[in-house]
Amino acid sequence: MADLFDRFESLRARRDALVGDGGHDPFQVQMDEVLSQTEAMINGRKTILAGTNNYLGLTFAPEALQAAHDALEAAGTGTTGSRVANGTYAGHKALENRLCSFFEKEQAIVFSTGYLANLSVLSTLVGSDDYILMDADCHASIYDGVRMGDAQIIRFKHNDAADLDKRLARLAKKPGNKLIVIEGVYSMLGDKAPLSDIVEVKNKYDDVYLLSDEAHSVGVLGRYGRGLPEETNLEDDVDFIVGTFSKSVGTVGGFCVSNHPQFDLLRLACRPYIFTASLPPSVVASARVSLDLVEKGGALRKRLMRNAERLHSGLSALGFTLGGDVSPVVAVVASDVEVGVAFWRGLMDAGIYVNLALPPATPHNYTLLRCSLCAAHTSAQVDRIVEIFAEVAADLDVLPPISKKKTALA
Amino acid sequence: MSAAPGSSGSSDARAAVLEVLGPFNKTAVTLEDGTRFTEDLNFDSLLVMEFIAALEDRLDISVPLNVLPDIETVGQLVVAAQEIVREEHG
Ligand SMILES: Cc1ncc(COP(=O)(O)O)c(C=O)c1O
């Protein structure tokens, strides 16, 4: 009789080929002790964390820690249920009100993760007579969300407003609403959406709405950290903003904000809102306080961008091929999976943790050594990262001539 | 005038599918209506996406992701592509 797990045979073979003879397993990194926002003990070695998406370094913000402690004492370790079936806590409502004031929007719903926020909204906002037009490089949670729903799913070429335009034009005579789905900053390469071009295309047609997932841009872009729409002064043109507390906000949770007057109805329609437990009080409290810190985090954003520029220019001067422009996500393109894994292991051995990103989760099927920076990284830490990249490259003999500066792909 | 060849029907859609499929066919299999993407051509999900994007460019159409699970063979894709060309350019 066939074993149930036989269907994972090719997955197993692929994993074994990658993980092979031991050494660090890219899929099972264990942080034995977290020392700070930027350092942890991994396999007995003090390691610089350069792959946490903890952009502003708020995971240890004293105000957030205090708020979490207080809420924990006051309201307990968990809500033990969903907001619809088991009740909303005052903290959930207060957090939603804070999201409204943060984004200057009228409506907000908090979800248990960003992943669930995308599942919720994308599976319910549009129905079988409607169309989703999504950027091809969107995150897995967006793909999963649209697949859970009934709308027709059309992908347009990454960051290509003209391609979106063509596809909308072909749908123009069809009834049904159209929902464009993009990300403010794309997670793998850190590149921004051409938001003004997309808004311009959107405004050419009727019944078209725009949703932007600002997971990697909240806290990072805009004077008050409201993401790409704020930075580009297009906040009124984005109908729905989805986001997460798991990156700049430094905890866990997801949300969607909007000015649509009927927005609240989603609470009764979204299964990933109704049928899962709500966030615990401590998380809710720290998210609320961290939003204050994000809002007035101009100095943190400056430090983050300074670190981004330092790492980007350091690595590109060494001759590495980088996946995008200067951003807090700095993705080094490896020539293939084997080199990527060996390189990643070399970095780990030397005490640098970055993300190893493999196809098919990457654009252009790149193998990426994806670094994400933190405002709390010191210049010395950033320099150390660059230095180790150079050393590992020399060990593996994979770098183009050191003096030859290669420009970004894409 | 449409850039797409769709209006004249199935032979154009078939020609386009075969033309675009050519470079993606890494097996020695002769392409026929019954040729299966997964079993005969060893397509994985990634290759499917790339191939569909190329076909969209070639025919100037959008192939909704929803239709892909029902398409197993070259012939089924030709029929689906033809239908979309008719809808979008007809
Ligand atoms: C673009 C994007 N959307 C959504 C998510 C999911 O967020 P969360 O970690 O809160 O589930 C992520 C990251 O994980 C992401 O990169």
Side-chain angles (χ1 to χ4, degrees):
Chain A
M1 214 173 74
D3 188 277
L4 257 187
F5 280 69
D6 284 352
R7 60 193 300 267
F8 298 120
E9 188 48 32
S10 67
L11 189 62
R12 190 190 62 76
R14 211 173 152 228
R15 181 201 62 189
D16 289 354
L18 269 179
V19 179
D21 52 346
H24 290 289
D25 177 346
F27 310 120
Q28 320 247 6
V29 174
Q30 183 173 319
M31 315 213 177
D32 294 317
E33 192 189 343
V34 176
L35 304 173
S36 70
Q37 304 98 308
T38 60
E39 283 184 328
M41 296 302 292
I42 301 178
N43 271 1
R45 195 182 205 304
K46 195 192 249 192
T47 300
I48 297 178
L49 303 176
T52 60
N53 300 321
N54 187 4
Y55 297 118
L56 298 184
L58 295 182
T59 46
F60 285 90
E63 302 92 323
L65 286 174
Q66 188 59 53
H69 280 302
D70 293 348
L72 188 61
E73 295 290 339
T77 50
T79 65
T80 68
S82 117
R83 292 176 62 184
V84 176
N86 311 85
T88 276
Y89 283 31
H92 294 123
K93 210 59 228 170
L95 177 56
E96 285 171 347
N97 290 337
R98 183 66 185 98
L99 281 166
C100 288
S101 65
F102 181 90
F103 283 101
E104 299 181 349
K105 296 278 182 194
E106 277 153 36
Q107 312 271 340
I109 301 179
V110 166
F111 299 90
S112 296
T113 67
Y115 180 86
L116 291 175
N118 272 331
L119 289 194
S120 293
V121 173
L122 295 169
S123 67
T124 51
L125 261 185
V126 273
S128 54
D129 299 329
D130 302 325
Y131 296 86
I132 296 254
L133 291 110
M134 61 183 286
D135 188 289
D137 281 3
C138 277
H139 188 258
S141 58
I142 293 173
Y143 274 91
D144 292 356
V146 301
R147 284 202 175 108
M148 258 176 75
D150 300 320
Q152 294 293 303
I153 307 156
I154 292 169
R155 306 188 317 158
F156 63 91
K157 288 188 188 135
H158 176 54
N159 274 354
D160 189 337
D163 189 54
L164 172 65
D165 192 1
K166 248 185 3 189
R167 291 172 195 270
L168 275 170
R170 294 193 296 246
L171 294 177
K173 45 186 192 297
K174 298 201 184 186
N177 291 312
K178 288 100 191 176
L179 179 67
I180 303 169
V181 182
I182 60 168
E183 293 175 27
V185 167
Y186 286 84
S187 53
M188 282 297 137
L189 302 181
D191 49 334
K192 290 181 201 176
L195 190 55
S196 62
D197 296 346
I198 285 172
V199 164
E200 195 175 310
V201 168
K202 174 200 169 195
N203 290 337
K204 283 172 67 177
Y205 302 95
D206 298 326
D207 307 321
V208 183
Y209 296 82
L210 175 59
L211 179 149
S212 184
D213 181 338
E214 296 288 322
H216 292 269
S217 38
V218 164
V220 173
L221 300 180
R223 178 154 184 224
Y224 298 104
R226 298 202 294 262
L228 186 65
E230 187 200 352
E231 186 186 69
T232 52
N233 204 11
L234 291 165
E235 290 178 280
D236 290 341
D237 296 284
V238 180
D239 302 286
F240 303 94
I241 288 179
V242 169
T244 176
F245 300 138
S246 75
K247 305 185 195 302
S248 284
V249 185
T251 178
V252 66
F255 62 84
C256 183
V257 297
S258 175
N259 277 335
H260 197 290
Q262 304 298 326
F263 187 66
D264 230 33
L265 284 171
L266 286 182
R267 294 184 201 270
L268 301 177
C270 295
R271 297 170 65 85
Y273 176 82
I274 301 170
F275 295 105
T276 197
S278 62
L279 289 172
S282 52
V283 164
V284 169
S286 68
R288 183 152 68 97
V289 168
S290 291
L291 283 172
D292 297 347
L293 303 176
V294 169
E295 194 170 63
K296 48 182 196 230
L300 293 175
R301 278 184 276 286
K302 266 204 200 99
R303 226 174 297 156
L304 175 65
M305 283 317 288
R306 213 182 311 137
N307 285 339
E309 275 156 25
R310 199 175 182 97
L311 184 61
H312 195 279
S313 66
L315 292 176
S316 93
L318 284 169
F320 286 104
T321 307
L322 303 182
D325 301 332
V326 176
S327 94
V329 174
V330 179
V332 176
V333 182
S335 51
D336 60 42
V337 173
E338 275 95 80
V339 168
V341 173
F343 207 109
W344 181 86
R345 285 207 174 122
L347 293 173
M348 285 298 276
D349 288 338
I352 306 289
Y353 171 74
V354 306
N355 311 125
L356 175 66
L358 301 171
T362 51
H364 313 290
N365 300 334
Y366 283 154
T367 296
L368 299 173
L369 296 153
R370 177 188 178 276
C371 311
S372 66
L373 287 153
C374 180
H377 280 125
T378 61
S379 304
Q381 283 177 318
V382 177
D383 292 346
R384 179 81 187 141
I385 298 169
V386 174
E387 196 182 306
I388 300 295
F389 261 88
E391 280 177 30
V392 174
D395 281 352
L396 296 176
D397 201 16
V398 289
L399 202 64
I402 299 271
S403 56
K404 190 167 153 268
K405 186 169 177 292
K406 251 181 132 177
T407 44
L409 293 178
Chain B
M1 266 304 289
S2 156
S7 41
S8 60
S10 80
S11 59
D12 291 333
R14 172 169 282 102
V17 167
L18 294 178
E19 176 195 318
V20 176
L21 195 48
F24 287 89
N25 180 11
K26 303 282 191 271
T27 65
V29 173
T30 316
L31 299 174
E32 293 165 349
D33 274 0
T35 308
R36 294 164 304 177
F37 289 102
T38 313
E39 292 84 350
D40 301 327
L41 299 177
N42 290 330
F43 271 34
D44 58 15
S45 57
L46 226 124
L47 208 55
V48 168
M49 289 304 193
E50 275 178 38
F51 164 59
I52 293 296
L55 185 66
E56 287 183 321
D57 277 351
R58 171 65 178 77
L59 286 172
D60 198 25
I61 57 174
S62 293
V63 179
L65 295 192
N66 320 53
V67 308
L68 298 183
D70 295 330
I71 295 174
E72 282 172 22
T73 65
V74 169
Q76 286 166 345
L77 180 61
V78 169
V79 172
Q82 203 178 303
E83 171 78 6
I84 295 169
V85 168
R86 200 170 45 73
E87 274 186 29
E88 295 196 342
H89 297 281

